[in-house]
Structures are given as C-alpha cells and as structure tokens.
Amino acid sequence: MKKTLSIAAALTLAFSVALWAHEVKLGAPVTLKESTPIHELLANPAKYVGKEVRVEGEITSVCQSMGCWIKIKDAKTGAEIQVKVEDGVIVFPKESAGWPAVAQGILEKVEATTESHTAQPAAGAKAKTGEAKEGHAEGEHTCAEDAKATYRLKGLGAVLTHIH
C-alpha cells in the first residue's frame, strides 16, 4: 500500500511540474539534434568558428538593458558562453536567469579593441555598428584584456524552459 501511495505521489508531482513548465521558443527553430559541450567550443575554438552549433545549460545572466544576450553555463563543467542576438530580433526574458536553455548559433571570435574598449566581432565576421554599447553588452574589456580574444555564439534561435 505504501509503495502504491509513493508511486502515486511521485506521478502527481511529476505531472504538476509538467503543468507548471513551459517552453519559450525564440528566433529560428533549434534544429541541430546534438549539443556541443561549451568547454569543447572554448578549448578548440578554431574547429568551430564560423560553424553552426547547439549548446545547452543553465542561463546564468541576461542583458538587463535590451535582452540581447544571455550567458549559458554547462552543468557538468561550469564552462560558460555568451549567446548574443541581433538587437530587437530576439529578446531574452530579463527574468530568465536560472532557466534551462538550448541555443543554436554560429561561434564567432570576438576581439577587444584598444580604441573602443569593447568586444567587437573579429575581421570577417558580420557585425552591426554600435553592437557593444558602453554599459550595455557584457563582453566589454579593460585595456589589459585587449590582446585576448574571446568567443561567443551569434544566436539564431533558442528554447528556454520556464518552470513556474
């Protein structure tokens, strides 16, 4: 009898969680079936730059100005990557930190420039002028970091799971 009650309670809880969770689909559909681990992208960026990849993990931060980027952290390794989208095309919910996410996009190399002190897509990458505004997008650098390149995903689409 106790085992039956435990199973019934577990099923009720699972069903309740399913009712309180919903997917938020943003941008283009996420079509790639397999995710590339974030730490793999960051450890071997030359292998992936310019290629479309899928990542998944937990959202750790969100652009509070325009909702134009999120940072996703891999649960296994703690590796983190920024997913930057075109301003106004996709707007990430500002309250989505802590939500599970799957994102698809193109890995791009971001160079810091000494003149603007902001991260700019590397030569050859398509970028909107004024993309990194002072105090706006994470990825801004200090002079000491100017020589260091970073990598981010140019987001094309994402699926966030909001659990109420």
Side-chain angles (χ1 to χ4, degrees), residues 13-134:
L13 179 62
F15 183 70
S16 296
V17 168
L19 286 178
W20 288 98
H22 74 275
E23 289 185 342
V24 178
K25 296 178 180 182
L26 302 166
V30 175
T31 56
L32 295 175
K33 300 296 179 206
E34 291 190 33
S35 293
T36 303
I38 295 168
H39 73 274
E40 170 66 20
L41 292 174
L42 301 175
N44 302 299
K47 181 177 174 182
Y48 298 100
V49 168
K51 295 183 180 171
E52 200 164 329
V53 295
R54 169 188 159 137
V55 296
E56 60 185 286
E58 179 182 323
I59 299 172
T60 59
S61 55
V62 184
C63 172
Q64 293 298 301
S65 178
M66 296 178 67
C68 65
W69 58 260
I70 57 174
K71 280 196 172 183
I72 297 179
K73 178 175 84 171
D74 182 281
K76 292 179 184 175
T77 65
E80 207 172 47
I81 194 163
Q82 184 184 63
V83 178
K84 172 71 173 95
V85 296
E86 191 174 333
D87 293 348
V89 174
I90 296 174
V91 178
F92 292 109
K94 294 178 183 179
E95 70 279 2
S96 60
W99 296 7
V102 174
Q104 186 169 317
I106 299 168
L107 187 68
E108 63 182 6
K109 183 177 183 179
V110 179
E111 301 280 356
T113 64
T114 54
E115 293 170 10
S116 68
H117 299 289
T118 57
Q120 299 295 329
K126 292 182 182 176
K128 274 177 63 174
T129 357
E131 183 173 285
K133 299 175 184 135
E134 188 171 336

